[in-house]
Amino acid sequence: MKRKMEINGLTIEAEYPDKTVETIFLPLLSGLSRKQRELGRRLVVLLAAPPATGKSTLVKFLTQLSGETPGLVPVTAVGMDGFHHYQEYLLSHTVFRDGKEIPMTYVKGAPVSYDLDGFRARLSRVRTEKACPWPEYNRKLHDPVDNAVLIEGDLVLIEGNYLLLDQDGWRDLRDYADYTIRILAKEEDVRDRLIWRRASNGVPQKEAEYMVDSNDLPNVRLCMEESMEGDLTLRLDGSGDYEYVSGRLP
């Protein structure tokens, strides 16, 4: 099944095998819709995945699929990247890595570069407020834009790297979710996708490889090795498709 969509200002064509749509995506959306109607309130779903596993494209596809399929509750999809600390904060703070104190900008994208308290507070509001503002990350400004969107739907899907991270503070995020999804991938596949992403933005090949190996891959390993299991776990294969690993559909 093919769909055109806009991701980060670019129009792309996403394609997933019909079998995946019929055996995973549609049953997932059907179960979530049923659960939302049974609860009679907004349903919050967390989707956790390492960088470059196609999560932004996937949630956009699920949003379109839910909106065009009769009987499904339409999905409102947002991300956690709007809760990055502002660039001004990153420039004025440092962290220790490998025994050295370095500017926080060098580890942008790591858990420490997020406003966890602000994210947790907004999650609480999503559960209780009929209309809840939500920030988005602007790639041109390299900064979050607060209140960029307004969440009003009954089924909210939040995607991000660390939503199931098994560390103090982060593991509490699960308490705000009615259902969780985790995506796995092979490190070599993610590395190739990350290098391609940076190179396609004009970064020279060797520099792209260095940036990925020094900064991006540690975040990938953190997601893969220190995340809790989801209610449903999928794996991204080398072709860009998703396969069932474990867990249950709602």
Side-chain angles (χ1 to χ4, degrees):
M1 183 179 290
K2 295 181 180 180
R3 288 292 183 276
K4 286 187 177 181
M5 57 187 68
E6 186 173 305
I7 304 291
N8 298 324
L10 299 175
T11 299
I12 66 169
E13 186 173 70
E15 181 176 5
Y16 299 105
D18 290 344
K19 181 179 179 181
T20 302
V21 175
E22 293 167 0
T23 62
I24 298 178
F25 296 164
L26 283 174
L28 171 65
L29 292 172
S30 179
L32 293 176
S33 297
R34 181 173 58 253
K35 188 176 182 69
Q36 187 278 320
R37 294 187 178 104
E38 290 173 352
L39 292 174
R41 60 163 173 80
R42 177 174 291 148
L43 193 79
V44 177
V45 180
L46 300 183
L47 186 149
T53 51
K55 57 185 177 297
S56 296
T57 303
L58 174 60
V59 299
K60 189 76 171 181
F61 181 85
L62 294 176
T63 299
Q64 292 188 3
L65 187 62
S66 69
E68 67 188 27
T69 305
L72 296 182
V73 176
V75 169
T76 299
V78 292
M80 66 170 285
D81 279 353
F83 291 92
H84 268 297
H85 281 300
Y86 286 93
Q87 195 72 1
E88 181 181 359
Y89 180 97
L90 299 176
L91 288 168
S92 60
H93 288 71
T94 59
V95 296
F96 283 90
R97 175 168 284 189
D98 299 327
K100 296 181 180 180
E101 186 176 13
I102 59 175
M104 194 174 285
T105 50
Y106 288 13
V107 296
K108 189 171 183 177
V112 70
S113 69
Y114 286 88
D115 177 12
L116 178 56
D117 290 338
F119 183 44
R120 189 163 45 231
R122 196 67 63 97
L123 276 176
S124 179
R125 292 176 60 185
V126 168
R127 291 292 299 268
T128 58
E129 296 182 10
K130 185 175 182 179
C132 180
W134 193 267
E136 286 188 339
Y137 187 80
N138 187 299
R139 294 182 181 273
K140 292 182 180 180
L141 298 176
H142 301 291
D143 255 335
V145 177
D146 201 14
N147 303 333
V149 297
L150 189 65
I151 296 175
E152 297 180 286
D154 291 326
L155 175 49
V156 178
L157 176 57
I158 303 170
E159 56 90 358
N161 297 333
Y162 307 115
L163 297 178
L164 289 173
L165 190 62
D166 192 11
Q167 291 185 1
D168 289 346
W170 289 94
R171 68 173 63 93
D172 300 335
L173 298 179
R174 192 168 192 159
D175 296 338
Y176 299 95
D178 299 292
Y179 189 80
T180 59
I181 304 167
R182 185 185 181 196
I183 294 177
L184 305 174
K186 293 181 179 179
E187 183 177 312
E188 56 267 30
D189 291 338
V190 174
R191 181 179 185 271
D192 290 343
R193 291 163 70 102
L194 285 166
I195 291 172
W196 175 86
R197 179 188 293 178
R198 289 190 179 275
S200 65
N201 288 327
V203 179
Q205 181 72 17
K206 290 296 183 182
E207 185 178 345
E209 292 175 2
Y210 173 78
M211 293 170 70
V212 167
D213 291 338
S214 62
N215 186 53
D216 297 337
L217 281 187
N219 295 334
V220 170
R221 295 185 188 112
L222 182 64
C223 294
M224 297 285 285
E225 298 170 4
E226 297 192 36
S227 289
M228 299 176 287
E229 291 299 318
D231 293 314
L232 174 68
T233 299
L234 306 176
R235 179 181 289 109
L236 176 73
D237 67 19
S239 70
D241 187 22
Y242 295 95
E243 59 184 10
Y244 171 84
V245 176
S246 63
R248 56 176 179 79
L249 290 165

